[in-house]
């Protein structure tokens, strides 16, 4: 029966991602790039200044803070960290290794393409997230695809019921996906890597049961319980505690991993040109000699790279919108630009660091594109061990095990927040009770993630991610003309300086008026 479920899931996964999802997301990203006149390129300096640049600008630094009495929002930096914490996961390490193992170095090129165009997809969905957001029963901001599907797409003629149905489907799939990509999949990778790197005799040898070729040990169960307690403490503190933890973990996590990767890349600087050549030359091959031997075709290279890139940065899934909508930002376009930066940081920065670490270290043959080992779980650790190895002491595997733990552990509370917002939307007036029930189930499932097989956990994650993407992209594509108007309004006011134009800030008149007052009084964005 379990095998039948796995086979059925694989069939659905193939339809949703390979036959529909990848092409839909690529098309959408290209379309949004055209409609925005290449905003991610033509206004690169502006959106960089308004996002990461604003954190170092003393004139605007204070505008990213919030009052201690403000329970309705989190700061823009906290929103960024929480969103990045949820987005940056094992996909940035193991996912990149899996892409290179399955699709060769050329897959990295298509990860970049997925990010370049995915930046605009993320921009559009985050603009809509702020524009259609509401206040919930606790006075907190609630936004996401549910709201722009119901109130935006549903506002078109004869689309009211369809919009509500799509919103409900998205919310339901978000809840299910949160148990997969945001919970069991992440926990599973933490446990596998920690138990492999830090073996504890007695716990590692105590086998509870065997699933396929995997022994489930007492060590795994204990780690699952420890992780469950940590997540419970964070999650039960609400969005404020989740954001507070994220803004402490995310910057440290990113900087330490990037620095570690740079040491490897600089240590193998002579192989950087050859690695870049392999990425570009093997991105378009139909079936080169190495591809013939490995059975890799151009379609495999493209779909593997795009799929892993999209899975990593989540642009088009509608997931990060739910935490970005909690930001204290006023301008929808400002949050859209933060969405672009998140994709840039996730894929262009972190995933590229992983890719170059692997390719310059010698664990992949740059002439054939074939990895020395087919085990993508250890490929990055092997790359780190080429430099961080002292005799028989392999520091690399410990560094990667801890990195994966931090990346995955920070993802879990962020995805739990997505699930909370979905439950909140579906349960209406009964939201407080429903949310608490959801949190308890989510926390308990962490232990399950520690003791299930890795392949099924990630396969389920892929499927429900895809099921989220489809209704989200229907809403995003149908509302793209509105986003073009909002973007033009912003460019005319904020870039061209025509401040006589009335801002487009919210679908709700009362919220828009409040936003206009804040802009007039403080100049806030």
């Amino acid at each position: 029966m379990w095998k039948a479920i796995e086979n059925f899931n694989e069939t659905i996964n193939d339809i949703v991602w390979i036959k529909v999802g990848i092409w839909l997301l690529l098309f959408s990203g290209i379309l949004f790039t055209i409609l925005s006149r290449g905003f991610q390129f033509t206004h690169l300096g502006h959106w960089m200044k308004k996002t990461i640049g604003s954190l170092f600008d003393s004139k605007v630094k204070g505008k990213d803070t919030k009052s201690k009495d403000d329970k309705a929002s989190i700061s823009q930096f906290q929103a960024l960290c929480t969103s990045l914490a949820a987005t940056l996961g094992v996909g940035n390490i193991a996912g990149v290794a899996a892409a290179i193992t399955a699709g060769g170095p050329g897959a990295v090129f298509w990860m970049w393409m997925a990010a370049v165009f995915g930046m605009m997809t993320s921009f559009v969905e985050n603009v809509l997230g702020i524009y259609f957001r509401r206040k919930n029963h606790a006075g907190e901001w609630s936004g996401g695809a549910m709201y722009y599907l119901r109130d935006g797409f549903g506002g078109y003629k004869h689309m009211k019921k369809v919009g509500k149905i799509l919103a409900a489907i998205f919310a339901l799939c978000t809840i299910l996906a949160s148990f997969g990509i945001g919970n069991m999949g992440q926990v599973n990778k933490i446990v596998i890597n920690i138990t492999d790197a830090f073996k504890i005799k007695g716990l590692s040898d105590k086998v509870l049961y065997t699933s396929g070729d995997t022994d489930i040990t007492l060590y795994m169960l204990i780690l699952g319980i420890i992780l469950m307690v940590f997540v419970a403490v964070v999650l039960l503190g609400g969005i404020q505690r989740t954001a507070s933890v994220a803004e402490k973990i995310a910057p440290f996590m990113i900087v330490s991993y990037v620095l570690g990767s740079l040491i490897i890349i600089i240590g193998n600087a002579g192989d950087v040109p050859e690695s870049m050549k392999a990425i570009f030359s093997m991105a378009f091959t139909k079936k080169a000699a190495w591809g013939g031997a490995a059975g890799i075709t151009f379609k495999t290279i493209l779909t593997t790279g795009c799929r892993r890139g999209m899975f990593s940065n989540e642009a088009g899934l509608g997931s990060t919108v739910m935490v970005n909508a909690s930001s204290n930002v006023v301008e929808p376009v400002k949050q859209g630009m933060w969405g672009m930066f998140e994709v840039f940081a996730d894929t262009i920065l972190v995933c590229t660091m992983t890719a170059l670490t692997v390719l310059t270290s010698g664990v992949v043959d740059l002439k054939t594109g074939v990895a020395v080992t087919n085990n993508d779980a250890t490929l990055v650790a092997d790359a780190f061990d080429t430099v961080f190895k002292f005799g028989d002491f392999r520091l690399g595997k410990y560094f990667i095990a801890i990195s994966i733990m931090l990346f995955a552990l920070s993802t879990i509370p962020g995805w739990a927040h997505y699930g909370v917002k979905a439950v909140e939307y579906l349960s209406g007036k009964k939201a407080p009770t429903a949310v608490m029930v959801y949190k308890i189930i989510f926390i308990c499932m962490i232990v399950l993630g520690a003791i299930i097989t890795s392949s099924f956990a990630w396969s389920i994650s892929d499927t429900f991610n895809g099921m989220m993407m489809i209704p989200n992209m229907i809403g995003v594509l149908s509302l793209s003309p509105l986003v073009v108007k909002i973007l033009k309004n912003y460019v005319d006011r904020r870039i061209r300086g025509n401040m006589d134009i009335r801002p487009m800030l919210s679908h709700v008149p009362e919220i828009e008026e409040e936003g206009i007052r804040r802009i007039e009084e403080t100049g806030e964005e």
Side-chain angles (χ1 to χ4, degrees):
M1 179 180 173
W2 192 257
K3 188 65 178 176
I5 293 173
E6 289 185 356
N7 291 338
F8 177 74
N9 179 69
E10 283 298 324
T11 300
I12 298 298
N13 202 345
D14 183 67
I15 294 172
V16 170
W17 274 110
I18 304 300
K19 292 184 170 60
V20 177
I22 290 175
W23 311 110
L24 177 61
L25 288 173
L26 278 177
F27 167 77
S28 301
I30 294 170
L31 176 64
F32 298 147
T33 298
I34 294 171
L35 292 177
S36 68
R37 299 181 180 180
F39 184 79
Q40 73 268 52
F41 308 118
T42 58
H43 292 85
L44 174 65
H46 178 80
W47 66 261
M48 276 292 188
K49 179 182 177 181
K50 291 297 182 180
T51 53
I52 193 67
S54 68
L55 302 180
F56 303 98
D57 188 341
S58 59
K59 293 181 181 179
V60 298
K61 213 171 186 179
K63 295 177 184 178
D64 186 43
T65 61
K66 65 187 187 68
S67 166
K68 292 181 180 179
D69 298 324
D70 182 6
K71 303 296 183 183
S73 66
I74 56 179
S75 74
Q76 292 162 40
F77 181 65
Q78 286 179 320
L80 169 68
C81 289
T82 306
S83 180
L84 275 177
T87 304
L88 288 168
V90 297
N92 297 85
I93 300 176
V96 175
I100 293 173
T101 302
V108 177
F109 174 85
W110 294 107
M111 289 185 75
W112 290 341
M113 290 300 99
V116 167
F117 295 115
M119 286 166 68
M120 285 314 300
T121 303
S122 182
F123 172 86
V124 172
E125 60 187 3
N126 278 290
V127 167
L128 293 172
I130 296 294
Y131 192 77
F132 286 98
R133 68 181 176 178
R134 298 285 192 277
K135 290 284 184 70
N136 66 8
H137 61 280
E140 298 173 339
W141 286 117
S142 289
M146 304 86 71
Y147 298 94
Y148 54 75
L149 281 167
R150 184 190 69 187
D151 302 330
F153 178 76
Y156 288 126
K157 192 174 182 180
H158 306 308
M159 288 292 116
K160 186 174 182 179
K161 287 185 179 179
V162 178
K164 286 183 176 180
I165 292 171
L166 289 175
I169 291 172
F170 175 85
L172 179 60
C173 289
T174 299
I175 295 169
L176 295 172
S178 73
F179 294 133
I181 184 178
N183 188 322
M184 293 189 293
Q186 303 294 332
V187 170
N188 193 267
K189 284 296 183 184
I190 292 175
V191 169
I192 288 174
N193 281 275
I194 292 296
T195 54
D196 179 64
F198 302 94
K199 295 185 183 297
I200 301 177
K201 194 167 179 62
L203 296 180
S204 299
D205 297 338
K206 182 64 175 178
V207 178
L208 301 179
Y209 68 93
T210 300
S211 177
D213 297 328
T214 305
D215 289 333
I216 307 302
T217 66
L218 180 61
Y219 193 5
M220 293 178 173
L221 178 61
I222 291 174
L223 282 175
I225 293 172
I226 293 172
L227 294 172
M228 179 181 70
V229 173
F230 171 82
V231 173
V233 171
V234 176
L235 188 55
L236 295 178
I239 182 58
Q240 302 291 334
R241 188 177 297 168
T242 298
S244 178
V245 171
E247 73 175 334
K248 294 176 177 64
I249 293 180
F252 169 77
M253 174 179 73
I254 295 170
V255 171
S256 60
Y257 182 73
V258 169
L259 284 176
S261 298
L262 280 174
I263 291 172
I264 307 296
I265 296 167
I266 292 171
N268 298 298
D271 292 317
V272 171
E274 192 67 25
S275 298
M276 296 299 293
K277 180 182 177 181
I279 289 172
F280 286 98
S281 65
M282 296 183 185
F284 300 95
T285 180
K286 289 186 177 180
K287 202 165 188 178
W290 66 274
I296 301 175
T297 64
F298 172 67
K299 182 180 178 181
T300 301
I301 299 168
L302 186 150
T303 55
T304 299
C306 287
R307 185 177 181 181
R308 287 299 169 185
M310 293 164 184
F311 186 85
S312 175
N313 61 52
E314 297 180 21
L317 300 187
S319 52
T320 61
V321 183
M322 288 175 275
V323 70
N324 284 328
S326 297
S327 166
N328 63 353
V329 72
V330 176
E331 292 271 9
V333 170
K334 179 70 179 292
Q335 199 60 49
M337 292 188 289
W338 277 111
M340 291 169 60
F341 177 77
E342 288 164 14
V343 175
F344 173 84
D346 177 274
T347 308
I348 303 298
L349 179 60
V350 181
C351 286
T352 298
M353 288 294 101
T354 300
L356 287 178
T357 297
V358 169
L359 294 176
T360 61
S361 63
V363 297
V364 172
D365 188 326
L366 297 179
K367 293 182 179 180
T368 64
V370 177
V372 174
T373 173
N374 288 324
N375 188 354
D376 57 72
T378 63
L379 193 64
V380 183
D382 291 341
F384 270 80
D385 279 334
T386 60
V387 172
F388 296 114
K389 186 177 181 181
F390 308 95
D392 293 330
F393 181 70
R394 296 175 56 207
L395 182 60
K397 73 172 183 178
Y398 299 112
F399 180 81
I400 292 301
I402 293 172
S403 295
I404 285 178
M405 182 183 72
L406 289 174
F407 274 63
L409 198 55
S410 63
T411 297
I412 297 169
W415 261 94
H417 179 70
Y418 302 161
V420 163
K421 288 302 174 184
V423 169
E424 192 177 274
Y425 175 82
L426 291 174
S427 55
K429 294 181 180 179
K430 297 179 180 179
T433 302
V435 165
M436 183 54 66
V437 171
Y438 166 80
K439 287 182 177 180
I440 292 171
I441 295 172
F442 186 91
I443 290 167
C444 292
M445 289 191 73
I446 289 173
V447 177
L448 180 61
I451 58 176
I452 63 172
T453 58
S454 175
S455 59
F456 185 64
W458 285 102
S459 183
I460 284 287
S461 299
D462 271 349
T463 299
F464 286 120
N465 279 166
M467 297 298 286
M468 286 173 64
M469 171 196 63
I470 293 174
N472 177 59
M473 291 310 300
I474 290 173
V476 167
L477 284 166
S478 66
L479 294 169
S480 55
L482 172 63
V483 176
V484 171
K485 290 180 182 178
I486 295 171
L487 177 58
K488 183 178 186 305
N489 178 275
Y490 175 88
V491 170
D492 287 343
R493 288 184 298 107
R494 294 288 182 178
I495 298 179
R496 295 175 181 162
N498 190 350
M499 298 305 290
D500 293 331
I501 299 174
R502 179 182 173 86
M504 294 180 66
L505 306 177
S506 176
H507 177 70
V508 182
E510 295 81 7
I511 296 177
E512 182 159 278
E513 290 299 329
E514 180 186 343
I516 290 174
R517 283 195 298 271
R518 283 174 60 182
I519 290 176
E520 291 175 345
E521 292 170 4
T522 66
E524 193 174 340
E525 294 181 43

